[in-house]
Amino acid sequence: VRLLRSRAWSGSRDAFREAAASPELKAASLLNQATACLWLGAAGHQEALACLRQLRSLTPRCAEAHFGLGIAFLAGEGNPSEATRSLRTAVEIAPDMADAWWALGLAAAMRHDTSMAATAFARAAQGGCVLSAPALMHGGIPTRERSAAMEALRGLARCRPAPGGSCETITS
């Protein structure tokens, strides 16, 4: 986790790969490995998706797995439809997850769904999310704001130390 916090993305990814071999650390390691991969950008995108899909299959009710998939689909693939599906699941599981509401608002804005975007950004703000809604122009995000929004989205992916390795300890 120290490597991840110090932004040593490649080193932390490798360390979490090794830790994932331990059954009691598997869930936390997969989530943290995915976080490191997301921060690597395009070079780590596919590995992040693989880790998050594996985590989702291990713990289907893990909001963090669905949230991470939403980030990966949006920031890595630019696929707001897939991101919306994952993020909706995340907020259904954890309705107080303000960052997931913000990401859902971003995905909705990219799909030109201004109603859903407004609702999601409002829920994010109510939940204490410090990120503000991007300026919406006819339901889309202006190009000048898109890269800043994607960087902010990647910033929502954080390390989650979890000694027990279960999703419950990851999200608490």
Side-chain angles (χ1 to χ4, degrees):
V1 173
R2 272 185 250 127
L3 287 170
L4 192 56
R5 288 187 177 144
S6 68
R7 297 178 173 256
W9 310 127
S10 294
S12 59
R13 175 192 60 192
D14 295 342
F16 287 122
R17 273 186 195 149
E18 289 178 32
S22 170
E24 65 273 2
L25 299 175
K26 189 162 189 87
S29 296
L30 285 169
L31 183 61
N32 289 328
Q33 182 181 342
T35 298
C37 291
L38 286 170
W39 274 99
L40 282 170
H45 172 69
Q46 290 302 317
E47 188 175 344
L49 281 173
C51 290
L52 292 163
R53 286 178 173 136
Q54 187 177 0
L55 178 59
R56 182 184 60 189
S57 71
L58 288 171
T59 54
R61 299 283 305 157
C62 178
E64 291 286 345
H66 295 281
F67 175 56
L69 281 166
I71 292 173
F73 283 127
L74 204 53
E77 289 192 352
N79 186 339
S81 296
E82 284 297 322
T84 297
R85 281 190 268 287
S86 293
L87 293 164
R88 276 186 180 159
T89 302
V91 298
E92 286 170 7
I93 295 168
D96 295 332
M97 188 182 251
D99 290 345
W101 281 107
W102 186 85
L104 180 59
L106 188 61
M110 290 177 71
R111 289 182 17 263
H112 305 285
D113 185 341
T114 55
S115 177
M116 178 188 277
T119 299
F121 286 133
R123 289 288 304 265
Q126 288 170 354
C129 182
V130 297
L131 298 171
S132 59
L136 302 178
M137 298 178 92
H138 307 292
I141 298 171
T143 304
R144 67 184 180 281
E145 286 191 58
R146 190 175 294 244
S147 67
M150 291 302 121
E151 191 64 25
L153 187 62
R154 279 191 184 90
L156 297 177
R158 295 182 204 90
C159 60
R160 308 283 195 236
S166 70
C167 193
E168 290 73 31
T169 60
I170 292 171
T171 57
S172 59

